[in-house]
Amino acid sequence: MSVILETIGSRVREMRKAKGLTLADLARATSLSTAIVSQIERGLANPSFSTLVQLAHGLNVPVGRLFPDEEESRSPVVRKNARRDLKGQAPESASDDTVFELLTPNLSGSLEAIWVVTPPGSTTEGTPFKHGGEEFVIVISGKKDVYLNGERYVLEAGDSITYNSSIPHWFANSSDEPCASISVITPPTW
């Protein structure tokens, strides 16, 4: 555990310095005390997930960038049987049967691509998404309802949509068959 905390701390420190922020600047941006930010950077604190989210928002990075990668991939290829399962990081409103798999080797690049399979009746209406960047979705099979600021767009196999991710958006599968799609997001948000 201490290795993980030290890694998180060093990543926070590196990102803070790269952005030209002082400890006090980051503390103000996150509503955390300077002391706790310093303790986290030195690996001396065990921050809650919500504290890590505050730090990530203060640094303007996805929270996943603070964690050590399970395996830093050197290969640009991600084999189907080696995709990283993002299920544990999925929205709470997503069905237990929803599949979220990372198609890019890791989250350290400028974009992320995710394989998503949603069962019939699945919806994220209860927790609409809103984050910086841009998003592209293409439906591989089935149907997907994409809601942008409440306006519904029905996508069928082969259809795609691109939108500014700062617009509140959510997804639903109102059909009677599973929907497979690919989402490409920049910058990474997982």
Side-chain angles (χ1 to χ4, degrees):
M1 182 64 140
S2 65
V3 172
I4 293 171
L5 295 176
E6 288 173 16
T7 302
I8 290 171
S10 67
R11 286 187 179 199
V12 169
R13 183 175 45 256
E14 288 169 12
M15 290 180 208
R16 175 181 60 79
K17 288 184 176 183
K19 293 180 181 292
L21 300 173
T22 65
L23 279 170
D25 293 336
L26 184 55
R28 271 191 299 282
T30 59
S31 299
L32 298 170
S33 72
T34 303
I36 193 64
V37 173
S38 174
Q39 288 175 352
I40 291 168
E41 284 191 359
R42 292 179 288 142
L44 302 176
N46 187 354
S48 68
F49 184 74
S50 61
T51 298
L52 292 174
V53 169
Q54 286 175 270
L55 283 169
H57 286 182
L59 292 165
N60 198 26
V61 298
V63 72
R65 291 245 181 115
L66 302 181
F67 295 99
D69 292 331
E70 290 174 16
E71 293 180 29
E72 282 293 334
S73 176
R74 303 267 185 250
S75 173
V77 176
V78 176
R79 302 286 177 204
K80 181 179 180 178
N81 63 351
R83 293 178 189 161
R84 182 170 153 193
D85 182 5
L86 297 173
K87 183 98 175 149
Q89 301 168 38
E92 290 179 15
S93 63
S95 162
D96 287 337
D97 297 331
T98 301
V99 173
F100 295 95
E101 295 176 339
L102 188 62
L103 297 173
T104 47
N106 55 49
L107 295 170
S108 62
S110 301
L111 63 86
E112 69 186 35
I114 302 170
W115 176 259
V116 182
V117 179
T118 53
S122 132
T123 181
T124 60
E125 180 179 13
T127 55
F129 304 98
K130 185 178 178 185
H131 49 87
E134 193 170 14
E135 203 157 331
F136 166 84
V137 176
I138 184 166
V139 174
I140 306 303
S141 64
K143 290 183 182 178
K144 178 174 272 204
D145 299 337
V146 178
Y147 290 82
L148 302 177
N149 225 9
E151 187 172 347
R152 179 181 178 212
Y153 298 89
V154 179
L155 304 181
E156 297 183 8
D159 294 342
S160 63
I161 188 169
T162 303
Y163 52 90
N164 182 323
S165 303
S166 66
I167 297 169
H169 54 284
W170 57 280
F171 310 98
N173 180 352
S174 57
S175 75
D176 58 357
E177 63 180 270
C179 174
S181 63
I182 295 174
S183 293
V184 179
I185 305 160
T186 182
T189 58
W190 285 84

